[in-house]
Amino acid sequence: MIAATDLELRAGSRILLSEATLRVQPGDRIGLVGRNGAGKTTTLRVLAGEGQPYAGELRRTGELGYLPQDPREGDLSVTAKDRVLSARGLDELLREIEKAQSAMAELVDAGERDAAVRRYGRLEERFAALGGYAAESEAARICANLGLPERVLGQPLATLSGGQRRRVELARILFAASEAGAGGRSGTTLLLDEPTNHLDADSITWLRGFLQAHDGGLVVISHDVELLAAVVNKVWFLDATRGEVDVYNMGWQRYLDARAADEKRRRRERANAEKKAAALMAQADKMRAKATKAVAAQNMARRAETLLAGLEETRQADKVARIRFPEPAPCGRTPLTAEGLAKSYGSLEVFTGVDLAVDRGSRVVVLGLNGAGKTTLLRLLGGMEQPDAGRVVPGHGLRIGYYAQEHETLDLEASVWANVRHAAPDAPEQQLRNLLGTFLFSGEQLDQPAGTLSGGEKTRLALAGLVSSAANVLLLDEPTNNLDPASREQVLDALRRYAGAVVLVTHDPGAVQALQPERVILLPDGTEDHWSEEYLELVQLA
Ligand SMILES: Nc1ncnc2c1ncn2[C@@H]1O[C@H](COP(=O)(O)OP(=O)(O)OP(=O)(O)O)[C@@H](O)[C@H]1O
Ligand SMILES: [Mg+2]
């Protein structure tokens, strides 16, 4: 259980949340929603005990499983399997058992060998007592359901993709939570920040079922409305403008209706306030003429101004980024060609013999299951990584714009301003300011280190960097992840209007529809085909 009273959260000088009272109890399945940058991640971190509130009191009882939005960098030399098992302390035990096993096989001295056998017996007993064997297969089952097959489990975390690492973390948390569940009592509170970001459709369906059955508390941040509709029985709406959390004790659909009614009421109140302010102003103007009423007139005008200022603030916060992709620089007929690309990591072959020709203004979608090498292909095309065989041939006038799924293109230490400056060193300052403004970055936020931006804000900044580049080939890796619905619509719109060539990797069918691709590349085979609607189903599966 988690209970927070009079919670106040700040980011720099901004108040994200004040005087909030929040409770998470067993049986609560809460959806935490709000615009990008509203403070959802900050709130969850504080509830998890990983961040300090500016003010307020927090009480926590029972076990906790917290999945942060950004993958944390821990020890990357451990295998995926050990990482998952470590949730119940089983990884150490397994390693000792293996050591004892090889000692039994290798030792020649009879006395030493007997000691090793006894040691093995003791360890195995302990392992069995902890439910180790059942647990091991349960861990494997959870992993498989999250798109982590046996083969991947044996690999060290360092060799996994960002998405795979995040799935390992999710598996670890769910594995820990299901332990109590097996005993019939689940005290674990789950705090999950965008758990579906790196999952394919099958895994999302499975996760939905898992969360529906979870009887500990749950707070989930997600832009996946189907997941919210299926899972949550309460909603916390975090309103960035008011710095308040509205608690709705109801499921998703009823919440949407109630929210719509609330918004309507607020709009009406705003309209009333505007009318009132206008009336006050008119009155003040009339009164100003008389010397005796000058002070009263001034007071009236001031009241009208405060009324209007409040309204202006809401308008600012409701603003949506106007995202546009760049005007492509002129280039030859085929700005980018790839021949016979192959890539392996260690003994793991990702793909071989992939050919691709990207013509001016053409649109290509890359499809493939999790781990089929979609991100790798984009990285090779973008020159971020070298192929083992084959080559990438730049055509005449090629200018690449690369949007990385994990925002690797951002310098997290540098400020927002320095990041776009770096992306467009020659652009005039005012032009960059305007550009950042349309992407909703202004004022103090320009000096904020990019590493402290919210997930959606990082996406926005990376996209802004693209725009300043005059790229004529965009390589886009999951460009709609992390975005709130309004900002996502903007990206889709930008995709529709962009005149240059696009190579797109996405799980989002809406993004593909917006792109209206001509061709599809299927990984790992590298087969190329004309786009047809039948592939749309594959997009979600991929
Ligand atoms: N050190 C800091 N200085 C200034 N602002 C900060 C700092 N750290 C975080 N912020 C701001 O706090 C706000 C809340 O961030 P948070 O990550 O909680 O948002 P979020 O609701 O999770 O957004 P998203 O949907 O994009 O993930 C953001 O506007 C972020 O830029
Ligand atoms: Mg967040």
Side-chain angles (χ1 to χ4, degrees), residues 34 68 72 90 103 145 184 192 229 282 285 383 431 483 508-509 512 528:
R72 275 178 289 192
L90 292 172
N145 282 318
L192 308 178
D285 280 344
Q431 191 183 322
L483 292 176
D508 179 350
V512 176
E528 204 183 307

Side-chain angles (χ1 to χ4, degrees), residues 67-99:
L67 179 76
Q69 185 172 21
D70 281 328
R72 275 178 289 192
E73 301 294 329
D75 177 2
L76 297 181
S77 67
V78 301
T79 64
K81 180 173 166 184
D82 278 353
R83 177 71 191 146
V84 174
L85 289 176
S86 71
R88 297 194 207 164
L90 292 172
D91 56 328
E92 281 290 314
L93 211 48
L94 260 183
R95 246 197 313 276
E96 303 234 342
I97 289 177
E98 271 162 29
K99 248 192 270 166

Side-chain angles (χ1 to χ4, degrees), residues 194-209:
E194 302 278 3
T196 61
N197 259 359
H198 297 90
L199 296 184
D200 59 35
D202 286 347
S203 304
I204 293 176
T205 308
W206 176 83
L207 179 67
R208 232 184 266 159

Side-chain angles (χ1 to χ4, degrees), residues 11-12 14 16 34-43 69 194 223 445 448 452-457 482:
R14 219 178 97 206
L16 295 174
R35 292 289 304 274
N36 285 138
K40 301 180 295 294
T41 296
T42 311
T43 305
Q69 185 172 21
E194 302 278 3
H223 292 304
Q445 207 161 28
Q448 198 177 322
T452 65
L453 293 176
S454 79
E457 287 168 345
N482 290 315

Side-chain angles (χ1 to χ4, degrees), residues 100 103-104 106-119:
M104 286 189 319
E106 281 161 21
L107 288 173
V108 275
D109 181 277
E112 285 179 19
R113 199 170 53 224
D114 282 351
V117 171
R118 279 197 302 278
R119 185 170 153 66

Side-chain angles (χ1 to χ4, degrees), residues 14-15 35 239-243 270 274 305-320 440:
R14 219 178 97 206
I15 299 178
R35 292 289 304 274
D239 187 329
T241 329
R242 289 177 289 129
R270 274 210 295 270
E274 260 167 31
E305 270 160 27
T306 9
L307 265 175
L308 289 173
L311 295 177
E312 188 48 35
E313 237 168 62
T314 354
R315 247 183 241 119
Q316 286 289 352
D318 282 345
K319 241 174 48 187
V320 168
L440 298 184

Side-chain angles (χ1 to χ4, degrees), residues 177-395:
S178 69
E179 170 189 34
R185 236 169 36 94
S186 162
T188 306
T189 307
L190 291 176
L191 304 174
L192 308 178
D193 198 341
E194 302 278 3
T196 61
N197 259 359
H198 297 90
L199 296 184
D200 59 35
D202 286 347
S203 304
I204 293 176
T205 308
W206 176 83
L207 179 67
R208 232 184 266 159
F210 186 101
L211 296 180
Q212 275 168 342
H214 177 68
D215 50 12
L218 165 72
V219 183
V220 59
I221 299 174
S222 183
H223 292 304
D224 182 331
V225 288
E226 282 176 43
L227 181 96
L228 293 169
V231 170
V232 309
N233 55 18
K234 292 186 181 181
V235 180
W236 292 348
F237 170 63
L238 189 52
D239 187 329
T241 329
R242 289 177 289 129
E244 283 172 20
V245 178
D246 298 330
V247 174
Y248 293 83
N249 287 316
M250 55 191 82
W252 184 250
Q253 193 50 52
R254 282 184 51 214
Y255 152 76
L256 288 180
D257 299 342
R259 237 308 277 300
D262 284 353
E263 297 284 329
K264 208 164 145 193
R265 180 176 50 75
R266 267 189 213 112
R267 261 203 306 279
R268 209 168 42 229
E269 281 169 9
R270 274 210 295 270
N272 280 342
E274 260 167 31
K275 242 205 254 151
K276 206 161 138 196
L280 278 170
M281 277 299 195
Q283 190 65 25
D285 280 344
K286 269 190 226 149
M287 283 162 46
R288 244 192 288 274
K290 289 191 191 153
T292 48
K293 301 270 172 74
V295 176
Q298 211 168 26
N299 284 343
M300 242 176 215
R302 214 174 288 134
R303 262 193 68 199
E305 270 160 27
T306 9
L307 265 175
L308 289 173
L311 295 177
E312 188 48 35
E313 237 168 62
T314 354
R315 247 183 241 119
Q316 286 289 352
D318 282 345
K319 241 174 48 187
V320 168
R322 282 202 315 281
I323 294 171
R324 290 286 166 271
F325 288 143
E327 202 50 52
C331 63
R333 210 176 80 78
T334 308
L336 184 63
T337 317
E339 296 161 1
L341 293 182
K343 187 73 188 173
S344 305
Y345 295 108
S347 63
L348 175 73
E349 182 192 284
V350 185
F351 51 69
T352 61
V354 173
D355 298 317
L356 178 67
V358 181
D359 288 336
R360 187 174 49 213
S362 66
R363 284 138 189 269
V364 187
V365 174
V366 182
L367 291 182
L369 296 181
N370 272 327
K374 301 183 295 280
T375 295
T376 305
L377 178 62
L378 286 200
R379 290 176 61 83
L380 295 180
L381 292 176
M384 326 288 287
E385 221 170 303
Q386 293 310 309
D388 299 335
R391 55 196 197 117
V392 174
V393 189

